[in-house]
Amino acid sequence: MKVYLNGSFVDQADAKISVFDHGLLYGDGIFEGIRLYGGCVFRLDEHLERLEYSAKAILLDLPWSRKELSDLVCEACRVNGLTDGYIRLIVTRGVGNLGLSPASCKKPGLIIIADSIELYPKEHYTKGLAIVTVATRRINPAALAPSIKSLNYLNNVLAKMEAAQYGALEAVMLNDQGFVAECTGDNLFLVRKGVLYTPVVSSGALRGITRDSVLELARKRGLEVAECQLSRYDIWIAEECFLTGTAAELIPVVKVDGRVIGNGRPGPVTHDLLEAFHEVVRKDGTRID
Ligand code: PMP
């Protein structure tokens, strides 16, 4: 596998960065996870726009245009002969001294990895996931906005490990007011009485590209959509629950904290949206050739 690293494509084994990169020293950097479906990069423009917003939020001037980044992402797929896969685009603050201040970092680092991914075992897409609410709270937006897709994922990592201690593959994270924020790497959706609910971004959720795409699909299908504050109670009384994410796509949830959601099987709205999503990923893309 060839990895794009600061100006050239290098062998995976040679894709090494400096120990003085502030991305490593302080998690000072941003990233995107992007999917390639049938030779098309799904919603590349939206991912690059989110990257630009993340950069702006951490006062990092991107020295690359959107077109340059877009071309490099496509090239990373071509170089590795991929038609389907997962792309990780990382921008680090760059190499500096041991001080916390980014002032010593003269040039941001750029890494693009195009690989494959399978986040959840296949059977969970038909049977549904069992997830748990963890005690680790989603970081307060006043401390570090979850809308910034930063290299600081320790909050999510700790929650993911907590879920694993209960034998679950994903965790519901509440914000410090006790409202549902999101999962460690996925957004959360509920269905009740023909309405599709998802936590409002200000509850501490990332504005997921898959989330936006599913909200659009739902609206097109005449479903009422509500982005609002949700509590665990809303999960308990939901008829359906599912998660969305670039890696996960759209995955049903049938149990939360041992409680059965709906009738314990993936519901009709989830099924319908999952099918619609699989259709749209082949259309809403940027061709890599
Ligand atoms: N929330 C978090 C914390 C994430 O890391 C991700 C991406 N893995 C998502 C939600 C889903 O966002 P997207 O659909 O853009 O992948």
Side-chain angles (χ1 to χ4, degrees):
M1 187 214 301
K2 295 269 190 198
V3 173
Y4 179 84
L5 178 63
N6 294 329
S8 57
F9 283 92
V10 296
D11 282 331
Q12 182 177 344
D14 300 322
K16 294 172 183 161
I17 63 158
S18 164
V19 294
F20 290 98
D21 193 313
H22 280 212
L24 172 72
L25 288 174
Y26 298 117
D28 186 353
I30 51 177
F31 76 101
E32 282 296 316
I34 310 167
R35 280 295 274 269
L36 174 71
Y37 291 102
C40 289
V41 184
F42 182 60
R43 296 209 156 185
L44 180 53
D45 227 40
E46 285 84 344
H47 278 287
L48 294 177
E49 182 182 64
R50 187 170 66 183
L51 183 85
E52 288 163 9
Y53 288 154
S54 294
K56 202 165 181 183
I58 68 162
L59 296 173
L60 190 157
D61 286 327
L62 291 175
W64 313 278
S65 67
R66 193 179 297 185
K67 172 85 171 67
E68 282 170 319
L69 289 175
S70 172
D71 287 348
L72 282 173
V73 165
C74 293
E75 199 179 342
C77 298
R78 283 197 307 270
V79 163
N80 287 294
L82 291 172
T83 50
D84 290 272
Y86 177 87
I87 304 136
R88 177 61 59 91
L89 191 166
I90 304 153
V91 177
T92 70
R93 186 73 71 175
V95 176
N97 60 31
L98 286 180
L100 194 63
S101 166
S104 64
C105 309
K106 299 302 173 211
K107 221 172 71 189
L110 176 60
I111 303 165
I112 304 173
I113 308 166
D115 200 357
S116 56
I117 194 167
E118 191 196 278
L119 190 64
Y120 298 115
K122 278 210 173 55
E123 73 257 25
H124 292 301
Y125 288 86
T126 45
K127 287 193 197 146
L129 277 177
I131 63 175
V132 292
T133 310
V134 292
T136 304
R137 294 289 168 108
R138 190 74 179 102
I139 200 161
N140 186 322
L144 175 61
S147 304
I148 304 171
K149 207 161 163 58
S150 83
L151 297 181
N152 276 264
Y153 256 55
L154 201 51
N155 178 216
N156 312 55
V157 171
L158 289 175
K160 183 110 183 164
M161 287 164 72
E162 206 180 326
Q165 281 159 350
Y166 297 110
L169 293 176
E170 184 51 294
V172 177
M173 297 183 78
L174 308 177
N175 63 22
D176 60 7
Q177 294 169 285
F179 291 107
V180 178
E182 59 178 345
C183 292
T184 68
D186 301 309
N187 290 113
L188 182 138
F189 283 82
L190 301 174
V191 179
R192 192 167 59 88
K193 291 195 171 172
V195 183
L196 182 67
Y197 296 91
T198 195
V200 62
V201 166
S202 57
S203 282
L206 179 74
R207 189 180 290 284
I209 304 292
T210 324
R211 176 185 182 275
D212 277 355
S213 172
V214 165
L215 286 173
E216 262 173 45
L217 286 172
R219 286 193 187 100
K220 268 192 206 148
R221 309 178 105 62
L223 270 176
E224 197 184 319
V225 161
E227 293 179 62
C228 54
Q229 282 190 331
L230 294 173
S231 63
R232 292 181 73 211
Y233 171 78
D234 295 301
I235 299 181
W236 298 339
I237 64 167
E239 292 152 12
E240 299 181 37
C241 176
F242 62 85
L243 311 181
T244 64
T246 294
E249 302 179 310
L250 195 158
I251 186 156
V253 170
V254 290
K255 241 185 206 181
V256 180
D257 303 327
R259 290 188 187 226
V260 172
I261 306 295
N263 64 6
R265 286 189 300 276
V269 175
T270 307
H271 264 306
D272 185 40
L273 288 171
L274 205 157
E275 255 176 46
F277 181 73
H278 280 149
E279 242 172 68
V280 95
V281 294
R282 309 241 154 225
K283 291 189 204 138
D284 260 11
T286 304
R287 284 218 63 82
I288 59 169
D289 41 35

